[in-house]
Amino acid sequence: MAMTMNDVDRFEAARPRLEAIAYRLLGSASEAEDAVQETFLRWQAAHVDQIEVPEAWLTKVLTNLCLNQLTSARARRETYVGQWLPEPVLAGDPMLGPADTAEQRESVSFAVLALLERLSPNERAVYVLREAFDYPHREIAEILDITEAASQQILHRAKKHIADGKARTEVDEAAARRIVDEFLAAATSGRTEPLVRLLTQDAISVGDGGGKVPARAKAFEGALAVAKFMRGLFKPGKAKRALVGGSPDVYATTANGDPALVVVLDGRVIGVMCLEVTAEGIAAFRNQVNPDKLERATRRWVATEHGDPLLRIF
């Protein structure tokens, strides 16, 4: 049956929500886009006039596509070069989805997306649909072909796994900027002590280069080790300029709701550093430098205003 423009419009109206669900499920903006496009192809091939609740139908199709993708993704990540981190999504991107509640904002943070990797595909799906999109357990059960009681039990288990590793503190935009300014002042001071004072004792720094950009295979752990790494990272040098192809600019923004630094060279995002902030200080730096995971960030960057850079490095 031929698809009408009204059918296309109905799908396009649902696209932002579908992309936001898929991103939380997969931790990858590019894979989320692919999953949503495959959902559209299924919608295009369906007898749309016989679908009573399009939103529920689309969510079920998308979720099951993502569950299949998660199974294969786990196998790929076992052979991934170095550390695997989610793909960062910059402030204002509709893929971030709803942000009305603390649970919704938290569900898309880098820290929680990393913790979601601990969950089984079903645990991840129940957690995302319930916590981030407020789906009732009855609808989640229908989407996943499980019982309502099973959905409730899975959520309880998933929330426990997430809570075991979660200590994030929400900060507003002004506070995020202050944190970034303080960090940059310390990182460019040439001294370790100011950085150590900003960090928690068990702070970590993780980098994802995907085998395409140099990044340490193991995380730096402990305030002193992280501070020394950050001091060296922001120290100018010809070798660094040669590696990246110039002297990039550093901007302050938020990514996935966290304070972040965006590193830009010739209009292209070449790095995003997300800061995980707790009441005790900065607990983690998650640095995405894999170019394959920065394409959407670059598209977002060139399409928006972002003010003047804070500094030029290298």
Side-chain angles (χ1 to χ4, degrees), residues 82-102:
Q83 299 280 339
W84 182 94
L85 288 175
E87 187 172 341
V89 176
L90 301 184
D93 191 316
M95 191 173 275
L96 291 172
D100 298 325
T101 67

Side-chain angles (χ1 to χ4, degrees), residues 28-304:
S28 165
S30 57
E31 290 179 4
E33 290 172 343
D34 290 343
V36 172
Q37 188 58 28
E38 179 60 31
T39 303
F40 175 72
L41 295 177
R42 304 284 179 95
W43 173 255
Q44 200 173 32
H47 293 284
V48 174
D49 58 326
Q50 297 177 16
I51 297 174
E52 293 183 9
V53 186
E55 179 182 288
W57 188 93
L58 291 169
T59 303
K60 183 179 179 72
V61 170
L62 175 81
T63 301
N64 282 286
L65 286 169
C66 289
L67 290 178
N68 292 337
Q69 181 78 2
L70 279 172
T71 303
S72 61
R74 282 172 176 254
R76 290 199 310 275
R77 286 167 196 170
E78 288 177 3
T79 59
Y80 192 80
V81 178
Q83 299 280 339
W84 182 94
L85 288 175
E87 187 172 341
V89 176
L90 301 184
D93 191 316
M95 191 173 275
L96 291 172
D100 298 325
T101 67
E103 290 78 12
Q104 289 172 338
R105 293 187 293 274
E106 187 176 72
S107 70
V108 79
S109 73
F110 241 44
V112 169
L113 287 176
L115 289 170
L116 287 175
E117 291 294 303
R118 302 179 180 181
L119 306 183
S120 70
N122 262 18
E123 286 173 340
R124 189 161 182 159
V126 171
Y127 181 88
V128 166
L129 292 172
R130 180 62 186 158
E131 293 297 290
F133 295 91
D134 203 29
Y135 277 80
H137 283 289
R138 175 181 53 78
E139 291 185 24
I140 296 173
E142 292 173 359
I143 289 169
L144 298 178
D145 293 323
I146 58 177
T147 66
E148 192 170 340
S151 177
Q152 293 169 337
Q153 291 169 356
I154 290 171
L155 177 66
H156 177 74
R157 193 162 62 240
K159 289 176 74 171
K160 186 176 186 306
H161 286 310
I162 297 297
D164 286 345
K166 185 177 65 180
R168 178 175 178 263
T169 298
E170 280 204 84
V171 294
D172 60 27
E173 189 172 340
R177 178 58 186 266
R178 286 196 300 273
I179 291 163
V180 167
D181 287 343
E182 288 178 12
F183 165 68
L184 278 180
T188 56
S189 70
R191 296 163 50 229
T192 303
E193 295 80 7
L195 278 165
V196 171
R197 288 197 293 270
L198 291 176
L199 309 178
T200 62
Q201 288 189 344
D202 59 351
I204 63 167
S205 177
V206 185
D208 179 350
K212 299 187 176 184
V213 174
R216 193 168 187 260
K218 287 186 65 178
F220 290 93
E221 298 181 358
L224 184 57
V226 172
K228 287 180 177 179
F229 168 66
M230 289 296 166
R231 184 190 63 190
L233 182 65
F234 284 87
K235 186 177 180 180
K238 291 182 180 179
K240 294 176 184 175
R241 287 195 296 273
L243 179 64
V244 302
S247 297
D249 292 320
V250 178
Y251 295 82
T253 185
T254 60
N256 296 73
D258 292 321
L261 296 174
V262 177
V263 184
V264 181
L265 181 66
D266 298 331
R268 179 171 52 90
V269 175
I270 63 170
V272 177
M273 177 187 289
C274 289
L275 284 63
E276 181 184 343
V277 178
T278 71
E280 290 75 39
I282 301 173
F285 298 90
R286 294 182 174 88
N287 313 308
Q288 185 56 261
V289 292
N290 182 346
D292 293 344
K293 297 184 179 182
L294 295 171
E295 292 179 2
R296 187 178 178 103
T298 293
R299 295 200 305 271
R300 178 75 190 171
W301 188 259
V302 300
T304 56

